[in-house]
Amino acid sequence: MTLDLVKETLLPSTSHLPDGRPLGVAMIGYSFMGRAHSQAWRTVAAAFDVPEVARRVIVGRDEEAVAEAAERLDWEEHATDWREVITRDDIDIVDICTPGFLHAEIAIAALEAGKHVLCEKPLANDTAEAEAMVDAARTATERGQIAALGFTYRRIPALALARQFVADEKLGTIRQAKAAYLQDWLVDEDAGMSWRLRKETAGSGALGDIGSHAIDQIQHLTGQRTAAVRGRLATLVPQRPGKEGLEDVTVDDAAWATLELDGGAVASVEVSRMATGAKNRLTVELYGTKGALRFDLENPNELWFLDATAPIAEQGYTRVLVTEPEHPYLAAWWPQGHVLGWENAFTNQARDLLIAIRDGDTADAPGFSPDFGDGLALQRVLDAVIASDAADGATVTL
Ligand code: SOE
């Protein structure tokens, strides 16, 4: 008997593929993230060798709008009641693309219904919700389900390559990191109210929405977790036009934090929705004893690396064009030099989730990362920034 056959016949299978039918996906939410995730589910099997998926049903509260979305985004069906959908036998994956205040309720119910869950970031609107989600995920993962968190930027090839450079110790000991995520869609004072500008629906503003990416990148790339935080928040335009006239903005437009990491590094984070001219500009910089790295989402196929072990007179940043088949995810895409864009990271994420479902969580196949536990840890950092701001910038330890 070959080793593979021994494994197949003697060891319990860790795979969770349904018999004789594709994995059925239900997606809750159909706006910005719903569109991005739909694109990923549509393209994943064309790019990668993954288990077959069926885009079964897209769910939203507004019947007319969700019917239109189902048609446009190419889903088999639409529905308005997520509770009914998550119990269906033909649904295996529940993909949560709703505003943050619905994440906990839907994720917990879907995990209890035995489904794999992919939840958009940040995991929840506060630490208490995230803790309840982690409790539900603990029991579910014991049953072999996956509770995945969508920090999609980990799947941008250049950032995945940055992680490999750090793991390969090309940077030596990382002492300092810096991440900024700047957007400008709220510069116009007449930009209207939305769920993203209300604490009860979004939890926080720029901090949770884009600061979560910046902090996740710092922690993921350095491999260090946050031990202490100092933070400041600012709401620069306190009122905006709503349905009933001017309404109070109850979240931050911009946020700043310094992080002390448990591996000894220090990091700074700056995020804003009021940074005139910055459309969607995530920059990450890492500084180590042997080298440095920088990345800019405005040029997402490039990673800049400085080898500080080279003779000083020869040192300078090298531009690595991350489009070679040897680079993360690239073998499945286009010939070298044929660049990828923002949306490809969502397809890469769908690929990793499907592989994790197929292979289970074993020593050889490490499942899906980040998971709900990582989301809770990050939520604690976000809440610490808010607590520090409330205490006039005092240090909050985690
Ligand atoms: C998705 O990953 C996401 O974080 C969105 O939720 C943000 O709103 C977007 O601006 C960046 O990407």
Side-chain angles (χ1 to χ4, degrees), residues 32-33 120-121 153 181 183 196 209-210 213 280 342:
F32 176 27
M33 279 307 105
E120 253 302 323
K121 46 49 62 179
Y153 292 171
Y181 200 157
Q183 301 180 334
R196 289 178 185 272
D209 183 27
I210 51 179
H213 279 300
N280 190 39
W342 179 81

Side-chain angles (χ1 to χ4, degrees), residues 127-187:
T127 297
E129 283 178 358
E131 281 169 348
M133 294 169 85
V134 167
D135 282 346
R138 199 170 294 123
T139 321
T141 48
E142 280 165 15
R143 291 191 294 259
Q145 291 161 244
I146 289 177
L149 179 61
F151 271 117
T152 318
Y153 292 171
R154 290 193 186 194
R155 270 98 190 166
I156 291 178
L159 284 170
L161 183 67
R163 173 71 198 136
Q164 279 181 11
F165 275 30
V166 174
D168 293 345
E169 298 188 351
K170 288 189 194 304
L171 271 67
T173 304
I174 297 175
R175 296 196 180 119
Q176 199 172 343
K178 178 177 166 182
Y181 200 157
L182 306 177
Q183 301 180 334
D184 74 353
W185 57 279
L186 284 181
V187 169

Side-chain angles (χ1 to χ4, degrees), residues 207-357:
L207 176 67
D209 183 27
I210 51 179
S212 59
H213 279 300
I215 296 167
D216 182 60
Q217 282 302 322
I218 285 174
Q219 298 192 136
H220 176 59
L221 292 177
T222 61
Q224 301 182 32
R225 286 261 167 118
T226 304
V229 173
R230 248 170 269 135
R232 298 304 280 178
L233 304 174
T235 305
L236 302 166
V237 177
Q239 290 196 315
R240 289 184 178 272
K243 284 198 185 109
E244 318 277 318
L246 280 184
E247 287 179 32
D248 290 341
V249 173
T250 48
V251 297
D252 54 285
D253 292 322
W256 296 262
T258 51
L259 314 178
E260 291 168 38
L261 304 180
D262 61 4
V266 290
S268 69
V269 177
E270 177 174 2
V271 297
S272 175
R273 292 163 163 173
M274 305 282 280
T276 310
K279 299 302 163 190
N280 190 39
R281 181 142 200 252
L282 170 66
T283 54
V284 183
E285 298 171 21
L286 301 178
Y287 301 100
T289 48
K290 292 198 325 198
L293 280 180
R294 61 179 197 231
F295 168 83
D296 181 345
L297 186 56
E298 290 188 353
N299 295 301
N301 295 273
E302 294 177 357
L303 182 66
W304 291 81
F305 172 61
L306 179 134
D307 178 3
T309 65
I312 191 82
E314 293 168 19
Q315 281 180 32
Y317 276 91
T318 304
R319 169 179 171 267
V320 183
L321 184 62
V322 189
T323 62
E324 298 296 327
E326 289 79 8
H327 288 141
Y329 303 105
L330 263 306
W333 290 103
W334 315 117
Q336 65 266 56
H338 295 70
V339 291
L340 299 193
W342 179 81
E343 70 180 40
N344 297 88
F346 289 86
T347 308
N348 297 341
Q349 174 174 273
R351 177 244 179 226
D352 288 348
L353 178 59
L354 293 172
I355 302 278
I357 291 172

